[in-house]
Amino acid sequence: MPMKSYKPINILLIEDSLADIRLTQEVFKEGKINNTLSIVMDGEDALVYLRKSGKFKNVQTPDLVLLDLNIPKKDGRQVLAEIKADSTLKVIPVIILTTSAAEQDILNTYAHHANCYIMKPVNLEQFIKVIRSIEEFWLTIVKLPQKEE
């Protein structure tokens, strides 16, 4: 049976851990889908990127955002709240990918309309499995909204 060809998508990873960034890049590179992974390392840059201003004025709007909660300048909680309060950005699915197991973080992110909450495993093998699961579910099964660029 021939492999279904999937449309490449643009993913924005908002993450400050270089190790997690490298690992995520590697897992996506090995994946079935030829997607574009853009990276910003703090909350302020994330919002500038998403609003396509300043140094990010020529970027494509992401189809999917992977957001760590514990990032510098503006934390992921603030970034999520701003994304979901913005009429043009709120349709972009946001996956929380964080080390926080705090029940309050889980409740707050869903209250701010996060699309899902995933705890980053500390084990390398499990981390790879989680990223592959995100790719399998969000990039091959879920129908993402069409962008108006």
Side-chain angles (χ1 to χ4, degrees):
M1 191 161 156
M3 275 293 279
K4 182 177 177 189
S5 71
Y6 296 100
K7 181 180 158 257
I9 70 164
N10 297 307
I11 301 165
L12 177 60
L13 174 63
I14 306 168
E15 172 64 67
D16 65 328
S17 162
L18 291 174
D20 289 352
I21 290 169
R22 277 194 292 277
L23 199 50
T24 304
Q25 287 172 315
E26 284 305 310
V27 174
F28 278 129
K29 200 183 298 177
E30 295 168 5
K32 304 174 189 146
I33 301 160
N34 185 20
N35 52 58
T36 304
L37 182 66
S38 300
I39 298 152
V40 293
M41 297 180 73
D42 67 61
E44 286 179 4
D45 270 355
L47 291 165
V48 172
Y49 185 102
L50 288 162
R51 292 181 176 128
K52 298 166 89 167
S53 59
K55 63 184 175 183
F56 299 115
K57 69 178 180 234
N58 296 317
V59 299
Q60 286 199 342
T61 302
D63 298 294
L64 187 66
V65 172
L66 301 177
L67 174 62
D68 184 12
L69 292 182
N70 303 309
I71 52 175
K73 297 188 181 174
K74 270 192 185 194
D75 76 11
R77 297 155 193 85
Q78 294 169 292
V79 172
L80 175 65
E82 287 194 42
I83 290 170
K84 295 305 182 177
D86 184 305
S87 61
T88 57
L89 300 177
K90 70 181 178 184
V91 297
I92 302 169
V94 177
I95 298 170
I96 303 302
L97 186 60
T98 188
T99 54
S100 173
E103 190 61 32
Q104 197 58 52
D105 280 339
I106 296 167
L107 288 169
N108 287 344
T109 55
Y110 280 119
H112 282 100
H113 308 288
N115 295 83
C116 68
Y117 192 101
I118 300 172
M119 281 190 49
K120 280 186 209 171
V122 287
N123 170 302
L124 177 66
E125 206 171 286
Q126 285 301 112
F127 186 86
I128 291 169
K129 225 183 233 180
V130 163
I131 298 300
R132 285 194 178 131
S133 296
I134 290 169
E135 180 181 47
E136 186 65 33
F137 182 73
W138 284 96
L139 310 187
T140 64
I141 295 171
V142 171
K143 176 81 173 132
L144 295 169
Q146 293 289 335
K147 289 186 293 204
E148 296 174 29
E149 299 254 11

